[in-house]
Structure formats: structure tokens, C-alpha cells
Amino acid sequence: MKNITVIGAGTMGNGIAHTFAQFGYKVNLVDLSKEVLEKGITTITKNLDRMVTKGSISEDDKNNTLNNITSLTDLKEGVSNSDLVVEAATENKELKLKIFKDLNNLCRPDTILATNTSSISITQIAAVVDTPENVIGMHFMNPVPIMKLVEVIKGYNTSDKVLNTIMEISKNLNKVPVEVNDYPGFVANRILMPMINEAVETLYNGVAGVKEIDTVMKLGMAHPMGPLQLADFIGLDVCLSILNVMYDGFKNPKYAPCPLLVNMVTARKLGVKSGEGFYDYSESRKAENISKMFL
């Protein structure tokens, strides 16, 4: 299995493409937008440059990685010969279902179809294809080239063969795959998002300020990043989407998003990617500093 397609060249997609390419896989990076593709390749190049500077890879490694990536806007061309497709589009259920319906018509019957969803049911996504046994969750953590964990989510119909294949591929990427069951939020976000939401509630209720809340969690709980800063880094819209999926899935009020989070997303204060969230990222170097914390 050497031919990989990654759908979506945004933050997660370009990170996933970077990682597969760095470990010798041939990667088609597909996005409808040429601009997003160009930005994605630029991000990959900058991240590789940082790795070269730090001595973790060589200049030849960087060039080989970039040569392993082909950017495409045509989905049919991008997936026609793929052994594995990893969908990394926006965390939107309807969009993902549409993509998988298209993949059902364009891919070989034996192609493994993975989704990088952080909360949406794998079983529900698999229901729109003819080979649900080939559909699996492959939830990478951000930033993908650095973070070790991959949540591997087996849907109701996912075959053991596909599960074992994805576990081995994840290990080939120098990741640590962890098998989890198909419930809203899986493990990572089922635990993380209520914590972030509670931090927002703490701010909303006037218990403490943004920096104070984050400082307590960093110094008192040994978190590398406070929950509000982490929410900015993830994207407040993504946090809201995941909380809504869990609230709809469990019907438990503990997953109901804080009104402050809802208002901030409505006002397009989304964190690093919009230039403002709980912190101010209006200067480009501030957003750059967030990336440098990891790379």
C-alpha cells in the first residue's frame, strides 16, 4: 500500500499529507481550491524547513517529501489509483457524507476509505458507500507531523482486516495508534471538549480572566497549553461543532456548548485562523509563534 490520497489541504489535510510523504508514501493532495492547495504546500515546506533547521531531517529528506506530494483539484484523478483515501475536510457531517458518496463512485472497490473526523459517527459515514467494511476513522492530532497519537475508530461494519491494516500503517508513520469504539467524540474529544467548554463557562461566569484560567491549568495541572489557548489553536468553530455532535448524540446537557462560545463563533472570532479568539493574533508573527511551540 503506497498510493495515498488526502482530501482537503487545510491544517489537518496538509499535515497528514506531509506525514505520509515524509515516510515514503506517494500522496495525492486534493482540494477544490488551487489557492488552498498552494497554501497547503507552502505550509508543508515551511514545516519541513523548521525540521531541517532543528536537525530532525536532512535537506534530502525535505526534498524527497515534497517530491512525494502531487496537488490536484480533480477528485476523480486524485483517487483513481489510491490504496487508501484519507478525508480531512471541514468537520461538517453533510460535507463528509457527500464526499464519501463521491468516493463510492470513483474509487476501486478495495480502496480503504478513512475519515479524519474528530467526532462524527464512522458507522453513519460508512452507510453511504457500498463497501462499509472498508470505512474507518483515522483521527490524527494537530500538528500532525509532531503529535504521536492516532485514534483508530472501527465502525459497526469495519472489517478486522481494514482495522489491522490501518493500525500497521499508523505505526509505519511513527505514530501510536489506539483503537477506540464508534461513539460521539470518541475518546480524545469526549474528554477534551467538556474541559474546554468548562473553561469557557468559567470565563463566562466571571470566575477569572483568560490568562488566569490558562495559567492555573498550565502551572497547576501541567498542561503544555491552557484550555482557552488550545481552543483558539483548534478553532472555536471546530470546538463548537464537536460539542454539538456530542450533545446531539448523547442528549446530555453536560455537552451543551457555553453561550459565550456560541456567540464568539457567530461573531467569527474563531481563534488563530481568524486573527482573534480568546487571544489576539492580529499580528502574523503571533500566529506563527503558536506553530513554533510544536515544530
Side-chain angles (χ1 to χ4, degrees):
M1 182 170 288
K2 298 297 289 184
N3 297 318
I4 312 296
T5 297
V6 178
I7 300 174
T11 300
M12 295 304 295
N14 71 61
I16 294 168
H18 169 163
T19 302
F20 272 104
Q22 187 178 332
F23 285 86
Y25 292 88
K26 296 296 183 182
V27 180
N28 286 339
L29 181 59
V30 179
D31 199 291
L32 292 176
S33 168
K34 288 184 179 180
E35 182 180 350
V36 172
L37 281 169
E38 290 171 1
K39 185 177 179 182
I41 296 297
T42 298
T43 298
I44 293 170
T45 304
K46 287 180 179 178
N47 289 337
L48 288 168
D49 284 337
R50 291 193 189 103
M51 296 172 82
V52 171
T53 300
K54 288 191 171 186
S56 55
I57 64 171
S58 68
E59 189 70 28
D60 284 344
D61 292 332
K62 169 195 163 182
N63 293 331
N64 288 337
T65 298
L66 291 172
N67 288 335
N68 281 336
I69 301 173
T70 302
S71 58
L72 299 160
T73 56
D74 187 294
L75 181 60
K76 181 177 181 180
E77 183 182 358
V79 303
S80 60
N81 194 39
S82 293
D83 303 307
L84 167 64
V85 176
V86 182
E87 172 272 314
T90 304
E91 190 70 356
N92 177 286
K93 184 176 72 174
E94 296 309 316
L95 175 60
K96 291 182 185 295
L97 292 177
K98 181 183 183 305
I99 289 171
F100 272 77
K101 287 177 183 177
D102 290 340
L103 294 177
N104 184 60
N105 296 322
L106 298 174
C107 294
R108 302 192 318 256
D110 63 333
T111 302
I112 295 177
L113 305 177
T115 173
N116 183 57
T117 181
S118 54
S119 60
I120 298 169
S121 167
I122 306 305
T123 303
Q124 187 174 12
I125 292 173
V128 303
V129 306
D130 296 331
T131 54
E133 66 274 14
N134 289 344
V135 178
I136 194 165
M138 202 175 185
H139 180 210
F140 291 87
M141 304 294 125
N142 185 27
V144 181
I146 302 301
M147 300 292 277
K148 289 290 188 180
L149 176 66
V150 179
E151 277 189 306
V152 179
I153 307 102
K154 184 179 180 182
Y156 190 85
N157 290 307
T158 306
S159 71
D160 288 338
K161 179 181 178 182
V162 166
L163 173 67
N164 293 333
T165 299
I166 293 302
M167 295 291 280
E168 286 304 311
I169 288 174
S170 299
K171 292 174 185 176
N172 291 343
L173 300 176
N174 199 26
K175 303 297 185 187
V176 178
V178 177
E179 180 185 348
V180 304
N181 290 321
D182 186 19
Y183 291 96
F186 315 130
V187 172
N189 283 316
R190 185 170 179 173
I191 295 170
L192 174 64
M193 287 303 155
M195 183 193 73
I196 287 177
N197 198 44
E198 193 62 31
V200 181
E201 286 278 2
T202 303
L203 176 67
Y204 180 59
N205 292 330
V207 178
V210 171
K211 292 182 179 179
E212 289 75 15
I213 292 168
D214 278 353
T215 298
V216 167
M217 296 304 292
K218 286 191 287 186
L219 300 185
M221 311 303 167
H223 290 195
M225 184 185 291
L228 299 176
Q229 187 181 21
L230 178 57
D232 276 355
F233 184 71
I234 294 169
L236 303 193
D237 54 336
V238 176
C239 294
L240 178 60
S241 175
I242 295 169
L243 284 165
N244 281 331
V245 166
M246 292 195 294
Y247 183 62
D248 290 342
F250 293 116
K251 301 298 188 289
N252 189 323
K254 74 177 181 179
Y255 299 116
C258 175
L260 175 58
L261 178 63
V262 174
N263 282 344
M264 291 180 71
V265 172
T266 301
R268 305 304 296 169
K269 309 297 184 184
L270 307 181
V272 173
K273 61 185 172 185
S274 71
E276 183 180 353
F278 293 107
Y279 293 87
D280 181 8
Y281 307 93
S282 54
E283 297 175 31
S284 59
R285 66 175 181 273
K286 290 183 180 179
E288 181 97 352
N289 286 338
I290 294 293
S291 178
K292 287 181 180 178
M293 292 177 66
F294 297 96
L295 296 173

